[in-house]
């Protein structure tokens, strides 16, 4: 059953729930953020749903817990091209702050008066999923990337070697964006860019470098990955769709429990590179 549907330019968002689960949903609200040219054009941006559901607390649990879970589901299409990793990081922070300004009344706790080092929105809710064409690329030449994908006999080893050059992996590890997010293990080939109706990577004059542009990230607290993979048989697009299955703890947050201090946001300075791959 559709719970929330929204459209922003070419970005489409759909949130569905089993009919039997509808009675557990207490609140749903939708917001969007534009990140295209001048933060006006809708070719880049994000759509989010703020969802509050009834918590499934155990009767014999003596700890005081919240009666509801606050969740945020985000789909995004972020800045393109290999050289624009810093712009993608900036897109994340814009999406975070603009969505925070659009949350329903009472959905978030009161924000601390002191300077906050991370994303107050994503750090404050109970569950977060952030997915879409995040557009992070590989900082490798096309020839080396494609050779590793097609000619390495040990596929898992080849993927691990490529992931060492993945921009999103570095962004998360260095705290430039997506702080406190996690991702399932990638054991599928890069999902971009293919010739349509083909298993062949981009043969146009642009010769774009294969990359894992399509990702599903989540807040790791209370969430376990069951499956995370792509659908190589779906060849109608120049991307391969990615899907995941997750198991979620539906207990409410323990109230008055000690909290861990969040890492401060690192400055997003442009990174100097000695080699500029082709786009």
């Amino acid at each position: 059953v559709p719970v929330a549907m929204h459209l922003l330019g070419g970005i489409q968002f759909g949130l569905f729930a089993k009919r039997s689960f509808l009675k557990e949903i207490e609140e749903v609200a939708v917001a969007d953020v534009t990140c295209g040219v001048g933060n006006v054009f809708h070719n880049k941006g994000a759509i989010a749903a703020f969802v509050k559901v009834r918590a499934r607390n155990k009767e014999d649990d003596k700890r005081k817990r919240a009666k509801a879970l606050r969740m945020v589901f985000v789909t995004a299409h972020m800045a393109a091209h290999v050289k624009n990793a810093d712009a993608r990081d900036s897109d994340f922070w814009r999406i975070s702050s603009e969505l925070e300004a659009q949350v329903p009344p009472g959905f978030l706790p009161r924000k601390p008066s002191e300077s906050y080092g991370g994303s107050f929105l994503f750090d404050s809710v109970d569950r977060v999923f952030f997915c879409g064409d995040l557009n992070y690329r590989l900082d490798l030449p096309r020839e080396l990337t494609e050779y590793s994908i097609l000619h390495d006999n040990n596929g898992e080893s080849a993927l691990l070697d490529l992931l060492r050059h993945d921009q999103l992996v570095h962004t998360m590890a260095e705290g430039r964006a997506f702080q406190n997010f996690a991702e399932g293990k990638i054991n599928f080939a890069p999902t971009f860019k293919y010739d349509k109706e083909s298993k062949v990577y981009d043969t146009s004059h642009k010769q774009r470098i294969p990359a894992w542009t399509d990702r599903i990230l989540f807040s790791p607290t209370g969430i376990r990955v069951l499956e995370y993979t792509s659908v190589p048989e779906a060849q109608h697009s120049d991307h391969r769709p990615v899907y995941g299955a997750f198991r979620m703890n539906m207990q409410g947050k323990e109230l008055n429990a000690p909290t861990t201090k969040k890492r401060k946001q690192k400055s997003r300075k442009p990174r100097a590179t000695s080699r500029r791959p082709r786009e």
Side-chain angles (χ1 to χ4, degrees):
V1 178
V3 174
M5 306 288 286
H6 195 68
L7 182 68
L8 178 70
I11 306 171
Q12 300 179 43
F13 179 93
L15 182 65
F16 299 81
K18 290 185 177 180
R19 191 177 300 276
S20 59
F21 189 74
L22 292 179
K23 63 181 182 296
E24 307 291 333
I25 300 175
E26 298 180 351
E27 180 180 3
V28 179
V30 177
D32 59 47
V33 181
T34 56
C35 296
V37 178
N39 293 325
V40 174
F41 286 85
H42 294 173
N43 61 316
K44 299 292 187 293
I47 302 171
F50 308 103
V51 182
K52 185 183 290 185
V53 301
R54 188 179 306 139
R56 296 177 179 174
N57 297 327
K58 298 179 181 179
E59 294 184 1
D60 58 352
D61 191 346
K62 303 301 182 182
R63 289 167 293 187
K64 187 176 181 181
R65 293 185 177 275
K67 296 181 180 180
L69 284 172
R70 297 161 301 159
M71 307 180 188
V72 178
F73 299 87
V74 184
T75 186
H77 188 195
M78 296 164 68
H81 306 305
V82 174
K83 64 184 180 181
N84 289 333
D86 291 329
R88 289 182 274 279
D89 296 347
S90 296
D91 281 351
F92 168 79
W93 292 108
R94 171 173 168 76
I95 290 166
S96 173
S97 62
E98 290 297 315
L99 289 179
E100 182 183 320
Q102 300 179 61
V103 296
F107 193 81
L108 294 179
R110 181 174 296 180
K111 190 171 184 178
S113 57
E114 65 270 15
S115 177
Y116 197 83
S119 165
F120 180 70
L121 168 63
F122 297 138
D123 290 343
S124 298
V125 297
D126 302 301
R127 307 287 184 264
V128 182
F129 287 93
F130 196 117
C131 65
D133 183 1
L134 307 188
N135 247 327
Y136 285 90
R137 310 299 177 94
L138 292 175
D139 285 322
L140 281 174
R142 162 70 185 250
E143 295 80 4
L144 180 57
T145 302
E146 192 165 16
Y147 183 87
S148 298
I149 297 168
L150 300 178
H151 299 289
D152 193 296
N153 293 326
N154 186 345
E156 186 171 344
S157 174
L159 296 183
L160 287 174
D161 288 341
L162 290 177
L163 283 167
R164 292 189 180 98
H165 303 274
D166 180 79
Q167 293 175 346
L168 181 55
V169 169
H170 286 279
T171 281
M172 294 172 68
E174 296 170 13
R176 294 195 303 271
F178 295 100
Q179 290 181 345
N180 306 312
F181 276 81
E183 184 178 18
K185 181 180 179 181
I186 293 179
N187 57 8
F188 49 90
T191 57
F192 174 86
K193 179 183 192 313
Y194 287 87
D195 292 341
K196 290 185 179 180
E197 305 295 340
S198 169
K199 297 180 180 179
V200 178
Y201 287 106
D202 185 18
T203 59
S204 72
H205 69 282
K206 293 185 177 180
Q207 291 280 293
R208 291 181 178 87
I209 302 166
W212 287 280
T213 57
D214 312 283
R215 313 288 275 267
I216 303 175
L217 308 181
F218 58 93
S219 58
T221 303
I223 297 175
R224 181 161 61 92
V225 181
L226 302 179
E227 188 175 12
Y228 186 40
T229 189
S230 67
V231 186
E233 298 81 11
Q235 300 177 5
H236 58 284
S237 168
D238 55 357
H239 291 252
R240 295 294 179 262
V242 172
Y243 71 90
F246 304 85
R247 185 177 298 279
M248 186 185 302
N249 186 330
M250 295 298 293
Q251 282 188 304
K253 182 179 180 180
E254 185 178 352
L255 301 178
N256 302 321
T259 56
T260 57
K261 190 175 182 179
K262 303 295 183 181
R263 293 181 300 170
K264 287 189 176 182
Q265 175 189 346
K266 295 185 179 180
S267 59
R268 302 186 296 278
K269 296 180 180 179
R271 295 170 295 167
T273 56
S274 58
R275 176 176 54 198
R276 178 176 293 180
R278 289 173 297 180
E279 299 173 12

